[in-house]
Amino acid sequence: MSDSTGLRYLETHEWVRLEGKIATVGISDHAQKEISDVVFVELPKPDRTVKQKESVLVIESVKAAFDIYAPMSGKVIRVNETLKTKPDLVNRSPYGEGWLFQVECSDLKEAEALMDESRYKSLGHAAGH
Amino acid sequence: MVLTRFPDDFEARMALLQEAHSLQKTPLYDRHVALGGKMVDFAGWLMPVYYTGIIAEHLWTRKSCGVFDVSHLGEIQVKGPGALDFLQYRLTNDLNKINDGQILYNLLCDEGGFALDDVLAYRSGAEDFYLIVNAANIGRDYEALSRYAPASVSLVDRSDSTACVAIQGPRSEGILERLFGFRLEGLRYYHFGKETLAGRPVWISRSGYTGEDGFEIFSEPAAVGQIWDKLIGEGRSLGTLPAGLGARNTLRLEAGNALYGSDMDRATTPLEAGLGWAVSFDKGRFVGRDGLLKQKEHGPRRRLVGFKMLDKPIAREGYPIFKAGRKIGVVTSGSYGPSAGYNIGLGFVEAQSAVRGTGIEIEVHGRSVRAEIAKLPFVPSQHKK
């Protein structure tokens, strides 16, 4: 679960892993390096309905606060509670334990608008590990 | 730092790299890049914000020794007969309090008593001072000084011919003695001495911005590479690590040091910023005195205070401060305090609310977060007296 195989990306550096209607969301390795030193993740409330590309949560690092956008529309069904005590998991394991939230997608076709890994990498944001 | 929308921030960063040639670089620029430094625009300079991470570099400086490139700082030499009298008139503090070889913190104010900059005056002699000024203000400071300088006093902007490295943290003294053969035990806080390193003249002062014991070495640009290499090369096994401006910012914030450009600007008086101790009303006339005296008599209407967040989010520059639902001020600096272990900040509040322990609320990302006005510094200073 901690590799980036098969992920799709929003141009704003959020990744999504689709399993049926369930989308798990995090930020790319490139993004966590840009953000650096995450000290707080303001998680969304479960049951909140989000739209694709809508701002869902804020990641606070020592240097700044960063808005994180929903790659898919739907209902937030789970948030990563571990980040409340270990926000630095976003830095240490961006594709694994540092995931942010899960959405039950309302429209799977939206995934077509997302980039695959090679496309995302071609923008110069190599996923890395 | 302000709330940054990530994509904008990223685009800005890419644009920055493309325009890198238009930003100034210190003589250590290539070394920062080689060390993996994350380079950002700071006051028109491409400076490392961190090498490995802000928190790690911050904690290492408190525990051991952080080495910072601060060559972007400006240096203005004030020289000639009447230099002392001129600066007594132009700056706020009383330079007769110090002897040759000492440093004094000052404000450079406009005629109304508002701060144009905060400056450190290094007294080499009664006719020879060096003012260390903020990078963004060099030109304006030079102007503000020259407008009042008598013909006998010459002002020379030495910023391009001066590099500076700050060595901060409890192990700094031992490391510098070991690496360079200095004798530093007798060098007291806010004193400086003239030394020779590799045949070139340097000034070394016991000073800094971090709240730790530490030193700053001023040298010619051509000599700073060698000094830096020794500090972070040979020095590494003795306990040094390079540290960026990100850690410098969190360290100074924990130490309760205001940053010009964030916590003060030209609409701020030193009295509002809690810097009344650097304003000497007794020394005689000086630029800005009338306005400041009037403000002192009535008391400033707002004051810069420290605050501690009682909940998780960080309150950052520009966020509004409330008390019982009523807006009373604004945040000027905010961050996680890596040594404090909680979120801290500085901000202006109306004077009647500037009382330690007062409960306040700060609007963060559209919601109200509890905070408390706190004692400064957040982390006790370790300066050697």
Side-chain angles (χ1 to χ4, degrees):
Chain A
M1 282 293 279
S2 64
D3 68 41
S4 59
T5 314
L7 300 184
R8 298 185 76 82
Y9 295 84
L10 210 52
E11 58 271 26
T12 46
H13 313 285
E14 294 81 1
W15 58 255
V16 59
R17 180 182 291 118
L18 279 166
E19 286 152 306
K21 287 179 78 176
I22 306 303
T24 305
V25 179
I27 61 167
S28 71
D29 188 52
H30 172 80
Q32 71 80 13
K33 280 181 183 149
E34 283 290 317
I35 290 174
S36 76
D37 282 329
V38 173
V39 291
F40 176 59
V41 180
E42 191 166 306
L43 293 161
K45 289 203 171 62
D47 292 340
R48 179 176 154 190
T49 304
V50 297
K51 280 205 180 111
Q52 191 178 36
K53 300 193 181 181
E54 179 190 349
S55 169
V56 182
L57 61 86
V58 177
I59 293 182
E60 297 252 19
S61 77
V62 178
K63 65 176 180 180
F66 300 86
D67 280 330
I68 304 302
Y69 299 91
M72 299 288 286
S73 303
K75 192 169 80 172
V76 175
I77 53 166
R78 220 172 128 210
V79 298
N80 186 353
E81 300 281 346
T82 316
L83 298 178
K84 288 182 177 168
T85 49
K86 292 179 181 169
D88 58 326
L89 284 174
V90 175
N91 295 122
R92 292 193 280 127
S93 179
Y95 301 111
E97 291 176 85
W99 64 279
L100 300 170
F101 62 95
Q102 285 184 328
V103 169
E104 188 178 46
C105 301
S106 55
D107 180 6
L108 285 170
K109 279 195 190 133
E110 284 179 344
E112 289 164 18
L114 301 174
M115 290 179 275
D116 62 16
E117 184 156 3
S118 64
R119 175 86 194 289
Y120 180 69
K121 276 186 176 170
S122 74
L123 298 178
H125 317 320
H129 291 284
Chain B
M1 301 272 182
V2 296
L3 179 80
T4 312
R5 306 267 160 184
F6 187 73
D8 297 348
D9 180 60
F10 184 77
E11 296 309 320
R13 223 167 273 278
M14 294 306 284
L16 178 73
L17 289 174
Q18 279 155 16
E19 288 169 29
H21 61 275
S22 69
L23 292 167
Q24 299 195 73
K25 295 172 183 172
T26 77
L28 298 172
Y29 174 83
D30 291 340
R31 286 171 170 83
H32 300 318
V33 172
L35 284 164
K38 186 97 193 154
M39 307 305 285
V40 299
D41 175 8
F42 181 82
W45 290 78
L46 260 180
M47 300 297 285
V49 64
Y50 59 84
Y51 303 89
T52 56
I54 295 173
I55 295 176
E57 290 161 21
H58 173 117
L59 295 174
W60 188 256
T61 301
R62 291 253 185 266
K63 190 173 99 176
S64 183
C65 180
V67 181
F68 303 75
D69 178 14
V70 288
S71 298
H72 60 304
L73 293 175
E75 293 83 12
I76 298 172
Q77 187 182 15
V78 181
K79 198 177 174 171
L84 174 60
D85 288 344
F86 161 62
L87 289 177
Q88 284 288 73
Y89 184 66
R90 191 64 197 88
L91 303 177
T92 57
N93 212 337
D94 184 359
L95 290 159
N96 280 318
K97 284 190 221 166
I98 59 167
N99 297 312
D100 297 350
Q102 282 183 261
I103 308 164
L104 190 68
Y105 181 83
N106 273 273
L107 283 304
L108 172 68
C109 286
D110 69 12
E111 289 71 10
F114 294 95
L116 293 167
D117 203 0
D118 62 341
V119 310
L120 285 174
Y122 280 61
R123 180 174 169 148
S124 189
E127 296 186 3
D128 193 10
F129 289 82
Y130 275 78
L131 306 182
I132 314 301
V133 309
N134 284 294
N137 298 340
I138 299 169
R140 188 172 82 186
D141 289 354
Y142 186 91
E143 272 298 310
L145 289 163
S146 61
R147 216 174 303 138
Y148 288 89
S152 62
V153 173
S154 64
L155 299 176
V156 189
D157 180 358
R158 301 272 184 207
S159 305
D160 290 343
S161 54
T162 311
C164 184
V165 174
I167 302 97
Q168 302 283 297
R171 290 189 194 151
S172 300
E173 181 182 293
I175 290 171
L176 287 179
E177 290 189 335
R178 187 85 182 271
L179 289 178
F180 300 114
F182 294 149
R183 299 277 303 163
L184 296 170
E185 206 190 334
L187 186 67
R188 292 164 59 203
Y189 183 58
Y190 267 38
H191 284 62
F192 67 98
K194 298 174 185 182
E195 298 275 353
T196 304
L197 268 187
R200 309 305 308 165
V202 299
W203 286 17
I204 177 164
S205 59
R206 191 166 214 135
S207 55
Y209 198 37
T210 60
E212 294 299 317
D213 184 28
F215 302 86
E216 287 165 304
I217 298 177
F218 298 86
S219 70
E220 299 165 1
V224 73
Q226 211 179 331
I227 295 170
W228 174 269
D229 290 344
K230 199 155 182 176
L231 281 167
I232 68 150
E234 216 177 306
R236 183 152 302 195
S237 63
L238 302 172
T240 68
L241 276 179
L245 291 189
R248 191 166 185 259
N249 187 53
T250 52
L251 288 159
R252 71 91 191 168
L253 194 55
E254 284 187 341
N257 289 325
L259 170 64
Y260 194 92
S262 293
D263 309 304
M264 290 184 268
D265 57 23
R266 56 184 314 171
T268 313
T269 74
L271 305 181
E272 293 168 339
L275 300 169
W277 56 270
V279 179
S280 172
F281 290 104
D282 303 333
K283 69 172 177 173
R285 294 202 52 76
F286 63 91
V287 177
R289 185 178 190 274
D290 293 348
L292 289 169
L293 196 58
K294 205 168 155 189
Q295 190 177 52
K296 192 189 177 194
E297 282 161 6
H298 296 90
R301 274 190 283 184
R302 55 174 196 155
R303 285 183 191 278
L304 190 68
V305 295
F307 62 82
K308 170 185 178 170
M309 302 302 288
L310 301 178
D311 201 355
K312 286 281 181 100
I314 297 174
R316 299 184 193 265
E317 188 177 345
Y319 292 11
I321 301 176
F322 299 85
K323 190 172 116 185
R326 188 173 57 86
K327 189 176 178 217
I328 60 162
V330 65
V331 174
T332 54
S333 289
S335 178
Y336 172 64
S339 301
Y342 47 82
N343 295 331
I344 58 174
L346 296 174
F348 274 105
V349 297
E350 57 183 26
Q352 62 267 35
S353 300
V355 180
R356 196 181 304 169
T358 300
I360 55 174
E361 307 97 50
I362 302 176
E363 193 185 311
V364 181
H365 318 147
R367 71 181 176 99
S368 178
V369 178
R370 289 181 313 129
E372 182 182 283
I373 293 174
K375 180 172 80 99
L376 291 176
F378 296 101
V379 172
S381 290
Q382 304 298 329
H383 297 143
K384 293 250 168 75
K385 286 298 158 194

